[in-house]
Amino acid sequence: MPRWLPRAMLLAFALLAAFQLANWAFHQVIGLLVNILLAFFGALAIEPAVDWMAARGMRRGWATGLVFLAVFAAGGIFVVLLGSLLVDQITSIGRNLPEYVDDVVLWVNHTFGTDLSVGKLQENVLHSDWLRDYVQRQAGNVWGLSATVLGGVFQVLTISLFTFYFAADGPRMRRAVCSVLPPARQAEVLRAWEIAVAKTGGYLYSRAVMALISGVAHYVLLVAIGVPYAPALAIWVGVVSQFVPTVGTYLAGALPMLVAFTQDPWDAVWVLGFVVVYQQFENYVLQPRITARTVDIHPAVAFGSVVAGTALLGAVGALVAIPATATLQGFLGAYVKRYAVTDPRAHGPQRRPLFRWPPRRPGRGSPPEGGPDGGSGGGRDGHDGPDGGGG
């Protein structure tokens, strides 16, 4: 056996053990790393507002606190309005449930010729084994649900704490990062940081403006057709349609349609038609004008980034996918050199009008049809000569 082989085997085992240890440690702290990533993008989103107040003499800590207060106030209003809507709907369903059951039983008896009794159905359901087992399972899941809620609250507090420190100590953190780099690299890092702040803040700003416009438009519609809980539903549509990637529009429109259907099915049809029409108006008129000044991402690129982010990090990846893509797009736009495209084949075929009005007359601006060597000959306007012949 060569003398170097034992040492090589020991080195291989040591590297394998170090890799296993690093892999175990990474999986233990991956939750914390995801929270830090969310906090970093949150700090990038609120940093323009913090910088604006800090430039006017306010301390960064107080400015960050005011931004946090505004964000939590908006989130609290959103939760309270939707919570009141949910509680009222559940109470209404529970109060009207016996009438719903009677209507369903009468419809079944009339349609299928059965002889069902509401009293017998209630007795069979209340004294059934599956209902007792279901209640016992749900009682056992209360502790798990409570632990999940507490874990979510702790995660929100962790992300908020890191976001506050990243935003309040942004300049200090940039100086700490740049202090270990040469001057040339420092300029590149600071430029990339500025691009990330501009793109993330611009994305949040554009989404907030479109959420406000969408909420106001849907509020006017819901009030006009008499749908209850119009303020809560309008806020729901505005926030969910803009800040939930890909499927937000469908989730946003489903709830007001359901509430409108409980009042009148035709109201649900009106809501559906308005949602479809407004979505087209937003996609082709409103969004290009707003995102042209903030951040502009092609819809296919945005959809692909959301799919990739979801595959990598789940719901967290879906949330940060579009800001990260906008930052990468801005970074490439700043550093990748572009050239003018002169080959006409790259622009596709030229657009020609299907109809020309007024139509061209052969004698004005174009050679007459059939000329001296052509087929029909003719006079100045292409008609036959005086003798009725061919000219």
Side-chain angles (χ1 to χ4, degrees):
M1 183 172 57
R3 298 178 59 183
W4 55 267
L5 185 57
R7 286 182 292 179
M9 294 178 63
L10 287 176
L11 179 60
F13 281 118
L15 291 176
L16 180 61
F19 173 76
Q20 293 292 339
L21 180 62
N23 188 28
W24 172 82
F26 175 77
H27 282 86
Q28 294 298 317
V29 300
I30 188 171
L32 177 62
L33 296 178
V34 170
N35 292 339
I36 292 176
L37 178 64
L38 282 175
F40 178 72
F41 276 99
L44 292 179
I46 66 174
E47 189 162 348
V50 175
D51 289 340
W52 183 83
M53 287 186 284
R56 283 154 179 78
M58 184 178 293
R59 298 183 60 179
R60 291 190 66 89
W62 287 103
T64 308
L66 286 178
V67 174
F68 262 75
L69 183 62
V71 171
F72 278 111
I77 294 173
F78 179 74
V79 172
V80 168
L81 289 176
L82 290 182
S84 63
L85 170 63
L86 181 61
V87 170
D88 291 342
Q89 288 297 315
I90 293 176
T91 304
S92 176
I93 291 174
R95 184 172 57 251
N96 299 325
L97 184 60
E99 298 179 5
Y100 295 154
V101 173
D102 292 339
D103 294 339
V104 170
V105 170
L106 290 176
W107 179 81
V108 171
N109 290 335
H110 178 73
T111 304
F112 300 101
T114 58
D115 189 16
L116 299 178
S117 174
V118 178
K120 292 182 178 180
L121 289 176
Q122 291 177 352
E123 184 178 358
N124 293 333
V125 170
L126 293 176
H127 294 87
S128 60
D129 294 335
W130 68 268
L131 180 61
R132 188 181 304 109
D133 296 338
Y134 177 78
V135 173
Q136 291 176 356
R137 287 196 304 268
Q138 295 304 316
N141 292 333
V142 170
W143 295 106
L145 181 62
S146 301
T148 302
V149 172
L150 291 177
V153 172
F154 179 76
Q155 185 176 8
V156 170
L157 292 177
T158 302
I159 295 173
S160 302
L161 182 64
F162 277 109
T163 304
F164 181 86
Y165 284 129
F166 286 160
D169 292 339
R172 185 186 304 176
M173 187 166 57
R174 286 193 288 270
R175 288 196 300 269
V177 172
C178 293
S179 63
V180 296
L181 298 173
R185 297 295 181 184
Q186 292 178 13
E188 294 181 1
V189 169
L190 292 176
R191 186 178 183 183
W193 200 298
E194 291 177 354
I195 291 174
V197 170
K199 293 300 181 180
T200 306
Y203 170 76
L204 183 65
Y205 168 76
S206 61
R207 289 297 171 180
V209 172
M210 288 191 293
L212 178 62
I213 298 175
S214 176
V216 172
H218 287 85
Y219 173 77
V220 172
L221 171 74
L222 297 175
V223 170
I225 62 178
V227 177
Y229 313 106
L233 292 175
I235 293 176
W236 165 267
V237 172
V239 173
V240 175
S241 63
Q242 302 302 325
F243 290 98
V244 176
T246 307
V247 296
T249 302
Y250 310 104
L251 292 177
L255 183 60
M257 286 175 55
L258 180 61
V259 175
F261 185 81
T262 60
Q263 302 295 317
D264 187 356
W266 282 108
D267 291 345
V269 175
W270 280 107
V271 173
L272 175 61
F274 183 82
V275 168
V276 173
V277 172
Y278 181 81
Q279 186 64 29
Q280 303 307 314
F281 167 76
E282 181 182 281
N283 290 339
Y284 295 102
V285 178
L286 185 62
Q287 184 172 351
R289 296 177 182 273
I290 294 178
T291 57
R293 300 187 179 186
T294 55
V295 53
D296 190 11
I297 303 178
H298 193 275
V301 177
F303 179 75
S305 64
V306 171
V307 173
T310 305
L312 292 175
L313 296 175
V316 175
L319 289 175
V320 303
I322 296 181
T325 304
T327 302
L328 180 61
Q329 179 176 324
F331 187 78
L332 293 177
Y335 284 95
V336 176
K337 187 176 181 180
R338 298 181 180 272
Y339 301 91
V341 179
T342 59
D343 196 326
R345 292 175 296 180
H347 302 283
Q350 294 183 354
R351 297 179 59 184
R352 296 180 179 178
L354 295 178
F355 303 99
R356 185 185 302 275
W357 187 261
R360 283 187 178 182
R361 300 187 63 179
R364 297 181 180 179
S366 61
E369 295 182 1
D373 55 348
S376 62
R380 184 180 62 181
D381 294 336
H383 299 290
D384 294 337
D387 56 351

